[in-house]
Amino acid sequence: MAKRVVIIGGVAAGPKIAAKLRRLDHEVEITIIEKGQFLSYAGCGLPYYICEDIKEQRELMETPVGVLRDPEFFEKTKNVKVYNRTEAIKVDRLKKEVEVKNLDTNQIKTLPYDYLVFATGAKVMIPPIKAVDIEHPGMELGCMDLSHVYTLHGIEDAEAIRWIIKEKMAKKAVIIGGGLIGMEMTESLVKSGLSVTVIEMLPEILPILDDDLGILVRRYCQEKGVNVRVEEKILRLEGEGGIVKKVVTDKDVYDTDAVIIATGFRPNSDLAKKSGLEIGETGGIKVDLFMRTSDPFIYAAGDCVEIENLVCLKSAYMPMGSLANKQGRAVAINIAGGQEVFRGGLNSVVFKLFDYTVSRTGLGIKQAKDLGFDAEYALVPAPDKAHYYPGAKRVITKIIVDKRNGKLLGGQFVGAGDIMKSANTVATALYYGGTIEDLSMLDIPYAPPYASAIDNVCVAANVIRNKLNRSMIGISALEVEKKRKRNEDFILLDVRTPKEYQQVRIPGSTLIPLGNLKQKLDELPREKEIITFCAVSLRGYEALLILKSNGFGNVKVMDGGLACWPYELEK
Ligand SMILES: Cc1cc2nc3c(=O)[nH]c(=O)nc-3n(C[C@H](O)[C@H](O)[C@H](O)COP(=O)(O)OP(=O)(O)OC[C@H]3O[C@@H](n4cnc5c(N)ncnc54)[C@H](O)[C@@H]3O)c2cc1C
């Protein structure tokens, strides 16, 4: 008898498993159970569908040659049986059966399996925010009880947000949560013509980045007209006639036509837990290297599983489509009798924010230090191609390394130019356990239209090597600002040219152009802390070397120079 494989979940991991398994085994009986209406759609494309960069819903569900991936497609082309609008409600592991319920007819059916797969994805986290309706003041409501309050996970959510924009002519929106989805939605709604406020409870948006880059992205969004608020707590939503009208925080009140809740996801492992499968510390289903759960006849893949972070070797939750597909492939190969290993992830992400691209792989400096690493970093603003080549745009490259053995820990990349080369290079080096020396000497292809002769990641590696051999001591702009606020006695030494200084400068900074520094050493007090900088802190580093070789003992360079300074400037 042919093997029977039942897959619960039909968006990314589920269909990937079905398609790969069919290629490996023509006999196996494959069934997908999907609670929702739609199958195998591009969830990652939803923000672009909302702002109509992607015009038609079906484009999210088409193959590259324009064939719609609906149940008929799966049955006819892949020989995969699909039950959509059907929920798996119970698993009997002894009998190897799944009980499923048709959500339109309430009919219950039992499906036997030889192998079962959980590809049940993630659940949106809804914060415990209260709501009041001025027409029913005594009623206790949660934030989702008011209309025009949305989350974004599936196509239905995207349709509802499109509806409020197009049909209800929404003009203002408040996004609760400044993480990746919140910021993708920011661009989408601004592009749709809405005035957008983002409210983040933490001190900085984008917890995927270190704060020194998060603040630069926040400033950029503010320049784009987005009202981004941090360290602000939502107290309640206020509605009228059941429709949200205001968002009340501990600092302000915002009139709004819509609220998007983007406060994160958690693994949808409820049914797995109910079935007695082992659940990990992150709430995801525990799997081994072969994506097998604690039951050898049950596999799991995608946003419902817990995996290993390959940098710190700790359990982690990484709900990304890129990983869901790789895990799905491994599950299919292993059900077909193979031995495919999925080692874990690097937490690599990238997203578009207006003209910026933002990416992260591995650990940030704060996360690394919190995990006990003795970590160092470099922050390098530089053009994405040869500086003299037309169209070169500035990008910021940050590399994080373990001081004890020089091993790479992570990279973060932000800017209007091409950052993906660097992000991919660092992710690759991380995956192979690379060191800062490896990165520094990596033979990266170069020609002026694409890169600089020494690629940005190699420059960043060299900056870290300078820091590790103590020829350079850095300090972040955030630390410099804290010193200024505490009125500490130090010299912020700008070593740019008088012309550059005239155009823009940090209030209170002292100008001594690099070319004049040797002649003006006597003007600088030797006992004071001196922090040098220039446009990007290359001349700042050269100034530090001059000062140190002339007996100045307490000198630092401001990492990234003026390009990474997010605070007030004088013009
Ligand atoms: C707006 C947005 C943008 C994103 N952008 C990116 C990106 O740029 N890059 C990236 O890598 N990732 C991105 N992601 C994440 C990516 O979409 C997910 O990682 C991916 O969809 C996970 O696939 P999955 O199959 O594990 O889970 P899901 O896509 O969540 O699918 C799981 C399915 O299982 C079904 N299900 C659950 N329980 C049952 C049950 N009991 N019975 C029947 N069916 C059930 C659910 O209805 C759901 O449809 C984005 C996500 C969102 C929401």
Side-chain angles (χ1 to χ4, degrees):
M1 198 172 80
K3 246 188 285 189
R4 293 157 305 179
V5 176
V6 175
I7 301 166
I8 309 173
V11 175
K16 176 74 203 172
I17 295 163
K20 177 68 185 166
L21 187 54
R22 175 55 71 228
R23 281 178 221 131
L24 295 169
D25 185 337
H26 292 283
E27 302 300 322
V28 60
E29 277 178 27
I30 308 172
T31 306
I32 295 180
I33 312 295
E34 170 53 52
K35 206 160 60 170
Q37 174 74 33
F38 304 105
L39 286 170
S40 194
Y41 61 83
C44 312
L46 295 176
Y48 313 103
Y49 174 63
I50 289 169
C51 67
E52 298 193 33
D53 280 353
I54 297 165
K55 297 273 179 296
E56 302 293 330
Q57 189 196 79
R58 67 171 280 146
E59 292 174 62
L60 296 168
M61 290 175 276
E62 280 176 352
T63 66
V65 291
V67 180
L68 187 68
R69 288 188 298 249
D70 59 5
E72 199 186 337
F73 163 81
F74 277 96
E75 295 201 25
K76 288 208 171 130
T77 316
K78 308 274 178 200
N79 187 19
V80 170
K81 176 84 193 138
V82 173
Y83 294 99
N84 60 338
R85 299 276 310 139
T86 301
E87 183 173 1
I89 50 176
K90 197 172 160 196
V91 177
D92 186 329
R93 286 168 48 203
L94 282 178
K95 289 192 187 153
K96 292 173 104 183
E97 285 174 355
V98 196
E99 203 170 285
V100 303
K101 179 174 157 189
N102 181 306
L103 297 176
D104 295 320
T105 62
N106 284 334
Q107 205 186 353
I108 300 220
K109 201 177 161 90
T110 300
L111 301 175
Y113 66 81
D114 295 301
Y115 288 101
L116 179 67
V117 185
F118 278 86
T120 45
K123 275 195 168 167
V124 173
M125 287 204 285
I126 308 286
I129 297 171
K130 292 217 164 79
V132 289
D133 189 323
I134 55 167
E135 290 180 11
H136 306 281
M139 259 166 77
E140 284 209 359
L141 301 170
C143 56
M144 297 308 292
D145 292 329
L146 291 175
S147 295
H148 303 185
V149 178
Y150 306 99
T151 57
L152 181 60
H153 191 220
I155 288 192
E156 290 86 349
D157 304 322
E159 288 298 355
I161 299 170
R162 248 171 98 134
W163 171 83
I164 185 123
I165 297 168
K166 283 180 81 170
E167 305 298 326
K168 291 284 160 186
M169 307 296 176
K171 294 278 172 282
K172 290 179 184 171
V174 172
I175 297 176
I176 300 179
L180 189 148
I181 303 288
M183 298 320 289
E184 280 195 339
M185 277 310 296
T186 298
E187 179 185 358
S188 178
L189 295 182
V190 169
K191 266 189 146 177
S192 305
L194 275 76
S195 148
V196 176
T197 297
V198 178
I199 301 175
E200 171 58 56
M201 191 174 71
L202 296 173
E204 197 45 78
I205 58 164
L206 288 171
I208 60 164
L209 297 178
D210 289 327
D211 284 357
D212 51 358
L213 290 184
I215 190 170
L216 292 173
V217 177
R218 170 155 60 95
R219 295 286 187 240
Y220 171 68
C221 288
Q222 287 165 337
E223 278 167 27
K224 289 276 171 193
V226 182
N227 182 19
V228 189
R229 312 295 300 250
V230 292
E231 285 187 279
E232 202 161 318
K233 192 167 179 263
I234 309 284
L235 298 181
R236 64 182 177 278
L237 306 188
E238 285 183 7
E240 207 179 312
I243 296 175
V244 72
K245 294 287 174 198
K246 288 182 198 304
V247 176
V248 182
T249 73
D250 56 353
K251 296 198 178 132
D252 220 329
V253 176
Y254 304 90
D255 290 334
T256 193
D257 300 319
V259 170
I260 313 282
I261 296 187
T263 45
F265 297 98
R266 69 167 179 84
N268 183 6
S269 53
D270 303 350
L271 181 62
K273 191 173 176 187
K274 213 170 93 184
S275 314
L277 297 181
E278 201 178 331
I279 303 297
E281 61 197 72
T282 63
I285 303 170
K286 243 188 182 318
V287 287
D288 64 12
L289 287 173
F290 304 101
M291 302 307 297
R292 215 169 22 203
T293 67
S294 51
D295 179 328
F297 299 102
I298 304 182
Y299 287 79
D303 285 7
C304 60
V305 301
E306 172 173 290
I307 60 171
E308 186 168 276
N309 183 317
L310 292 174
V311 183
C312 60
L313 307 180
K314 300 236 181 288
S315 300
Y317 182 52
M318 301 183 193
M320 299 309 294
S322 46
L323 294 173
N325 278 287
K326 292 182 186 85
Q327 293 160 8
R329 193 168 189 279
V331 167
I333 293 172
N334 294 334
I335 289 178
Q339 290 282 300
E340 187 81 347
V341 166
F342 175 84
R343 285 172 49 212
L346 298 169
N347 235 339
S348 302
V349 298
V350 61
F351 72 96
K352 178 179 171 309
L353 187 60
F354 304 108
D355 297 327
Y356 267 28
T357 310
V358 177
S359 179
R360 184 277 312 271
T361 183
L363 307 177
I365 186 80
K366 181 171 182 310
Q367 196 187 3
K369 286 185 173 170
D370 289 349
L371 284 165
F373 287 99
D374 189 6
E376 184 56 275
Y377 72 91
L379 194 63
V380 174
D384 63 342
K385 39 184 80 81
H387 64 276
Y388 53 83
Y389 191 81
K393 293 190 182 114
R394 180 177 283 164
V395 292
I396 298 174
T397 304
K398 182 169 185 176
I399 305 280
I400 298 102
V401 68
D402 186 345
K403 277 191 206 173
R404 285 170 294 204
N405 51 20
K407 274 204 159 194
L408 284 170
L409 294 175
Q412 306 193 353
F413 315 88
V414 167
D418 177 4
I419 61 163
M420 283 310 288
K421 292 184 306 245
S422 300
N424 292 346
T425 304
V426 175
T428 308
L430 268 178
Y431 193 80
Y432 290 107
T435 65
I436 204 69
E437 284 77 20
D438 296 330
L439 200 59
S440 157
M441 289 300 167
L442 200 62
D443 182 10
I444 293 173
Y446 155 67
Y450 305 106
S452 297
I454 304 182
D455 192 89
N456 290 342
V457 295
C458 302
V459 174
N462 291 337
V463 170
I464 293 198
R465 295 179 82 182
N466 291 339
K467 283 188 168 185
L468 294 187
N469 69 26
R470 305 293 290 168
S471 72
M472 176 178 180
I473 299 172
I475 180 167
S476 73
L478 274 60
E479 286 303 319
V480 173
E481 179 63 3
K482 279 186 199 156
K483 280 173 169 288
R484 278 156 47 96
K485 282 203 168 136
R486 292 193 294 257
N487 286 321
E488 281 185 32
D489 193 14
F490 68 100
I491 293 175
L492 191 53
L493 185 63
D494 188 338
V495 296
R496 296 175 303 150
T497 62
K499 192 174 160 204
E500 287 173 283
Y501 187 80
Q502 199 61 38
Q503 283 164 352
V504 63
R505 60 203 161 270
I506 298 177
S509 57
T510 302
L511 174 72
I512 303 182
L514 184 66
N516 302 347
L517 186 58
K518 280 189 186 148
Q519 293 82 53
K520 299 214 170 189
L521 291 175
D522 289 344
E523 291 178 19
L524 291 168
R526 282 166 195 274
E527 70 292 350
K528 257 196 200 174
E529 181 182 19
I530 300 176
I531 298 172
T532 64
F533 73 96
C534 60
V536 296
S537 275
L538 177 57
R539 284 170 289 173
Y541 173 49
E542 287 166 0
L544 169 138
L545 294 175
I546 292 172
L547 291 171
K548 277 177 61 174
S549 66
N550 282 279
F552 288 79
N554 190 2
V555 191
K556 298 187 179 78
V557 187
M558 188 166 78
D559 294 313
L562 216 51
C564 295
W565 175 259
Y567 305 106
E568 186 199 353
L569 287 168
E570 274 175 2
K571 289 192 176 163

